[in-house]
Amino acid sequence: MPQNTLETVNELVAGSFGGAAQVLVGQPLDTIKTRAQIAPSSKGPMDILMQTARKEGVLALYKGMTSPLLGIAGVTSLVFGAYGISKRIISPFGQLSLKETAAAGAMAGAANAILASPVEMFKVRMQGQYGSPGDKRLRVVAREMWAEWGFRKGIMRGYWVTVAREIPAYAGFYAGYEFSKRRFVSGYGPDLPVWAVLASGSTGGIAYWLSSYPLDVVKSRVQLRSTPPEGTPVQYIARELKAVVAESGVAGLFRGLTPCPTFATFELTREYLRDFTGI
């Protein structure tokens, strides 16, 4: 197998492990984040946490986990694989600058939206159920969305706002991660301790959300609606942003901000595969 192909396979496998870690560790935080976005009258993340645990039980924090857990291997392996390919397209001759890293991340984010959009749509609709007798299972939600709205307006609802979110998100994600990692490498050498990888991943996660969070709020609201958005993507995104500000002020665009552990697991898995495959 050619070296570039094997390197891409390693990135795909490592990405799937990183995505699984993100779901298993971060799902409770993601549920709180989503509920903060769609129920802006809450008193904050701790209030959502306590209300959810009290009324629905602790396991309710894992609502919607099936969709990303089933799809996360494809989603994260796609984004990490696309990022590796994008880096080689931009510059096959060594380390990229931070601007080139951001550009490769943006390209990977655009590709990632193809799978991320339906995974996120199902997750958000499951998280938007609050333990009533009428709550639906994932298969029922999927069947109803397909039967009523079809593929484009149902399964892929929110696709264009997902694209708009993923491009700046992954530009920030990879640039932030690489910036932090390079600082650690300059001080500790190329064999970084696990805590340094975790710290770099946290920097990447923070940059991801800071660069895209208002669009994530829009995405959640659009995907939870009973009907598809009307107008062009630019029109409905602008309309939703205005609605959030009108309801909750500018702070409403940043309700429920949280980081994630994807990068640490990706790096550790890739290091193992590099030792195992020699590439």
Side-chain angles (χ1 to χ4, degrees):
M1 186 180 292
Q3 179 172 330
N4 281 352
T5 302
L6 187 54
E7 188 175 352
T8 299
V9 170
N10 286 353
E11 287 162 346
L12 291 171
V13 174
S16 66
F17 275 86
Q22 174 185 341
V23 174
L24 293 172
V25 176
Q27 185 66 19
L29 293 174
D30 189 81
T31 298
I32 294 170
K33 171 186 74 71
T34 300
R35 289 189 169 187
Q37 292 172 343
I38 62 180
S41 60
S42 69
K43 297 178 182 178
M46 284 305 298
D47 178 60
I48 293 172
L49 171 63
M50 298 305 295
Q51 293 289 339
T52 299
R54 185 180 301 117
K55 295 179 180 178
E56 303 170 62
V58 174
L59 292 180
L61 295 170
Y62 290 89
K63 278 189 175 181
M65 187 173 73
T66 303
S67 172
L69 198 56
L70 291 175
I72 202 68
V75 171
T76 54
S77 63
L78 173 60
V79 74
F80 280 109
Y83 175 64
I85 293 170
S86 299
K87 286 196 300 181
R88 290 187 281 277
I89 290 173
I90 291 172
S91 177
F93 304 110
Q95 190 177 64
L96 275 64
S97 68
L98 289 179
K99 288 182 180 179
E100 290 172 330
T101 298
M107 293 166 64
N112 186 56
I114 297 170
L115 290 180
S117 181
V119 168
E120 288 278 312
M121 188 276 293
F122 289 125
K123 176 181 68 68
V124 167
R125 294 188 78 85
M126 295 300 293
Q127 290 171 328
Q129 299 183 125
Y130 289 85
S132 69
D135 280 3
K136 301 170 184 176
R137 293 183 178 274
L138 177 60
R139 64 175 179 270
V140 176
V141 172
R143 184 170 62 245
E144 290 182 351
M145 290 295 286
W146 175 265
E148 188 169 359
W149 300 108
F151 180 74
R152 185 172 65 86
K153 293 184 178 181
I155 305 302
M156 296 297 289
R157 181 176 299 179
Y159 171 72
W160 287 110
V161 69
T162 304
V163 173
R165 182 195 72 166
E166 298 290 80
I167 290 174
Y170 280 102
F173 193 29
Y174 283 105
Y177 173 70
E178 283 295 329
F179 173 79
S180 180
K181 182 182 175 182
R182 291 175 190 182
R183 287 299 182 96
F184 282 121
V185 167
S186 67
Y188 293 92
D191 296 325
L192 292 179
V194 173
W195 68 263
V197 178
L198 289 169
S200 299
S202 296
T203 302
I206 291 169
Y208 176 104
W209 288 119
L210 289 178
S211 61
S212 65
Y213 199 80
L215 290 169
D216 189 68
V217 174
V218 171
K219 179 197 67 64
S220 295
R221 289 166 62 103
V222 165
Q223 291 177 329
L224 190 63
R225 289 274 172 83
S226 59
T227 58
E230 297 180 355
T232 67
V234 172
Q235 288 173 334
Y236 75 70
I237 290 171
R239 185 167 58 245
E240 205 66 47
L241 287 170
K242 290 179 182 178
V244 173
V245 173
E247 292 168 9
S248 309
V250 175
L253 297 173
F254 295 92
R255 286 183 181 272
L257 208 52
T258 55
C260 78
T262 308
F263 256 124
T265 307
F266 171 78
E267 283 290 345
L268 295 174
T269 305
R270 189 172 64 172
E271 286 300 317
Y272 168 78
L273 291 172
R274 184 176 293 156
D275 292 339
F276 183 76
T277 63
I279 295 176

